[in-house]
């Protein structure tokens, strides 16, 4: 149980789903961590600039939507939310995935990180073996790691509008792929 903040508030206990999308919220409250029953959190289309480390205390969280905000950095504690299956962080200013995110959030099925400032896809992405949809379009990615070929359940892959110059040959191992968008990159060959 999270201790009370300076106001003596501990946050909403027992709520499983919170949707506060399309508001004018600037900050994710630290009390969010006191809700250990939270499963779904939608704070999309706000003006959030930072996410409190307390998000990592929401250990039951499976669905997180922080899209269309002004977030530049996600806390490393997000990796403590090991039950996450769907993460939407598109249309922010995020420059990198949190440390250990791809080592601990291995249940991800849907990851939407498009329209950010991400430049590196770490090789640990190979741990996301349940991933079906991966959207990393409109970023600053120059290289896809060979480990991308280990995402055996991947069906939709969006990496358009990046700076990718070559594809790893392992991309041919993605047998379930039914949609791949690599348009608007710097590709000169196909493996």
């Amino acid at each position: 149980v999270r201790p009370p903040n300076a106001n003596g508030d501990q946050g909403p206990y027992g709520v499983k789903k919170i949707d506060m999308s399309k508001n004018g919220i600037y900050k994710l409250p630290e009390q969010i961590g006191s809700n250990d029953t939270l499963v779904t959190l939608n704070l999309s289309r706000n003006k959030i600039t930072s996410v409190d480390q307390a998000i990592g205390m929401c250990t039951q969280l499976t669905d997180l939507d922080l899209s269309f905000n002004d977030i530049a950095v996600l806390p490393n504690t997000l990796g403590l939310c090991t039950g996450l299956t769907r993460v939407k962080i598109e249309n922010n200013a995020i420059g990198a995935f949190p440390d250990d995110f791809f080592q601990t959030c291995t249940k991800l099925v849907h990851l939407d990180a498009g329209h950010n400032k991400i430049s590196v896809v770490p090789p640990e992405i190979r741990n996301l073996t349940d991933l079906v949809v991966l959207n990393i379009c409109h970023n600053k990615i120059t290289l896809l790691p060979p480990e991308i070929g280990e995402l055996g359940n991947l069906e939709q892959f969006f990496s358009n509008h990046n700076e990718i110059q070559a594809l790893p040959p392992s991309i041919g191992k993605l047998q379930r792929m039914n949609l791949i968008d690599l348009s608007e990159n710097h590709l000169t060959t196909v493996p």
Side-chain angles (χ1 to χ4, degrees), residues 1-3 5 9-12 27-38 41 50-61 64 66 74-81:
V1 174
R2 185 178 179 90
N5 66 8
D9 197 6
Q10 289 180 304
K27 183 180 177 190
L28 184 64
E30 64 182 57
Q31 296 90 337
I32 199 74
S34 60
N35 188 341
D36 59 4
T37 60
L38 188 62
L41 178 60
S50 67
V51 178
D52 193 275
Q53 298 279 345
I55 190 78
M57 296 177 75
C58 298
T59 55
Q60 300 302 309
L61 198 60
L64 176 64
L66 296 173
L74 291 171
N76 289 334
T77 57
L78 186 59
L80 299 174
C81 300

Side-chain angles (χ1 to χ4, degrees), residues 84-95:
L84 283 169
T85 58
R86 183 173 167 265
V87 172
K88 295 183 59 120
I89 53 173
E90 78 270 18
N91 288 82
N92 278 288
I94 298 166

Side-chain angles (χ1 to χ4, degrees), residues 2 11 29 38 41 48 52 57 75 82 86 99 109 121 125 133 142 173-175 179:
R2 185 178 179 90
L38 188 62
L41 178 60
I48 297 170
D52 193 275
M57 296 177 75
T82 58
R86 183 173 167 265
D99 293 344
V109 174
V121 177
I125 196 163
V133 178
T142 58
K173 293 174 22 181
L174 299 173
Q175 299 297 313
L179 189 153

